[in-house]
Amino acid sequence: MLELQNICFSAATEEGEKEILKDISLTIDERFVAITGPNGGGKSSLAKLIGGIYTPTSGKIIYNGTDITHASITERARLGISFAFQQPVRFKGITVKDLITLASGRKIGVTEACEYLSEVGLCAKDYIHREVNGSLSGGEIKRIEIATILARGTELSLFDEPEAGIDLWSFSNLISVFEKMHAHFGGSLIIISHQERILNIADKIIVIAEGRIKEIGTKEEILPSLISASAPCRTLSEKVAR
């Protein structure tokens, strides 16, 4: 179980110190949790605080009873937390197989590594020995990152807009991967997304705007208001901002 207790986060900007998140308190132990809201509202910052990329200005983050507020990314990984970036990191000189092996934390063969690639819709023989560098498209590198999360098999996995850059890979396949992850590993998946089809699989939806929790509840309670017909031409992110 993940608990956020009175989390505040400020960052330096050209205009000076800016408060990004304001007194966020949450408990997450559901299977699928979606975090949505307008751009700039603090969603990705919250995910990065949970993942250990940022450190809160104040407040506590508790994971399975352990205070991880100041724990490093590596320490959190050892505790069973994975983080998938909106824009995944590229690694010149490291092959896809190397990356999946490193993610798994054990020695795995080509066959097993290929199975993870197949799960995310990539033809394994075309990718297994390629370098994780600029020759890969944004969609390819995104799917490879999701394959590494599968290989890790952690109890808590965070995905920052996992649908970004995978237009040629159907949403149904992406959702299927999430469902398989939970079936195999249990725990929780936290997904930052504006996509209605992803929000529609969530057990809990958290709406964040202007650094605060605007709404929180089940998809039955939250989703209808997000997709209400008051402004049908708006994107979902614009609707939650109003």
Side-chain angles (χ1 to χ4, degrees):
M1 183 171 66
L2 179 72
E3 298 176 74
L4 278 67
Q5 301 175 356
N6 308 110
I7 292 294
C8 296
F9 174 63
S10 299
T13 68
E14 292 181 358
E15 291 77 29
E17 195 80 2
K18 180 180 179 181
E19 192 175 23
I20 308 296
L21 294 171
K22 308 163 187 176
D23 197 25
I24 300 288
S25 292
L26 286 171
T27 298
I28 294 175
D29 59 3
E30 293 82 1
R31 181 182 58 156
F32 294 128
V33 175
I35 299 176
T36 193
N39 291 332
K43 304 181 305 296
S44 290
S45 294
L46 180 60
K48 289 174 181 176
L49 285 167
I50 296 169
I53 297 158
Y54 295 161
T55 300
T57 305
S58 62
K60 288 185 178 182
I61 302 174
I62 310 295
Y63 180 61
N64 288 340
T66 299
D67 188 340
I68 61 167
T69 309
H70 299 285
S72 68
I73 296 172
T74 300
E75 289 169 332
R76 294 180 200 217
R78 288 173 181 155
L79 290 171
I81 299 174
S82 294
F83 184 91
F85 290 88
Q86 185 176 351
Q87 299 294 330
V89 179
R90 299 172 186 270
F91 301 93
K92 186 176 181 180
I94 296 179
T95 68
V96 172
K97 180 183 179 298
D98 292 337
L99 189 62
I100 293 174
T101 301
L102 286 169
S104 72
R106 56 193 171 81
K107 187 175 181 179
I108 63 174
V110 171
T111 300
E112 185 178 354
C114 287
E115 288 174 356
Y116 293 123
L117 291 174
S118 297
E119 287 283 359
V120 297
L122 294 176
C123 180
K125 67 182 180 63
D126 293 338
Y127 290 91
I128 195 68
H129 297 301
R130 287 184 65 177
E131 285 191 18
V132 188
N133 57 22
S135 69
L136 294 167
S137 71
E140 289 170 330
I141 196 73
K142 191 77 172 182
R143 293 200 224 178
I144 289 166
E145 184 182 46
I146 295 172
T148 66
I149 302 294
L150 282 169
R152 287 210 61 218
T154 48
E155 184 180 352
L156 176 63
S157 300
L158 296 96
F159 294 88
D160 192 355
E161 297 195 20
E163 70 276 7
I166 56 171
D167 296 339
L168 298 180
W169 190 41
S170 73
F171 268 89
S172 61
N173 286 336
L174 179 61
I175 291 168
S176 176
V177 167
F178 291 149
E179 290 172 340
K180 286 178 181 178
M181 286 180 69
H182 183 266
H184 291 164
F185 312 123
S188 299
L189 280 74
I190 301 174
I191 305 169
I192 310 296
S193 181
H194 296 307
Q195 294 293 333
E196 181 183 344
R197 290 164 75 180
I198 289 181
L199 299 182
N200 201 46
I201 69 169
D203 300 307
K204 175 187 282 185
I205 296 176
I206 299 163
V207 182
I208 293 182
E210 299 179 343
R212 297 185 185 276
I213 295 175
K214 183 177 180 181
E215 294 181 89
I216 184 167
T218 66
K219 64 182 178 185
E220 290 80 12
E221 294 169 332
I222 304 298
L223 196 52
S225 66
L226 297 184
I227 57 176
S228 63
S230 60
C233 62
R234 291 177 177 170
T235 65
L236 197 54
S237 63
E238 290 171 327
K239 289 177 182 178
V240 297
R242 71 177 189 277

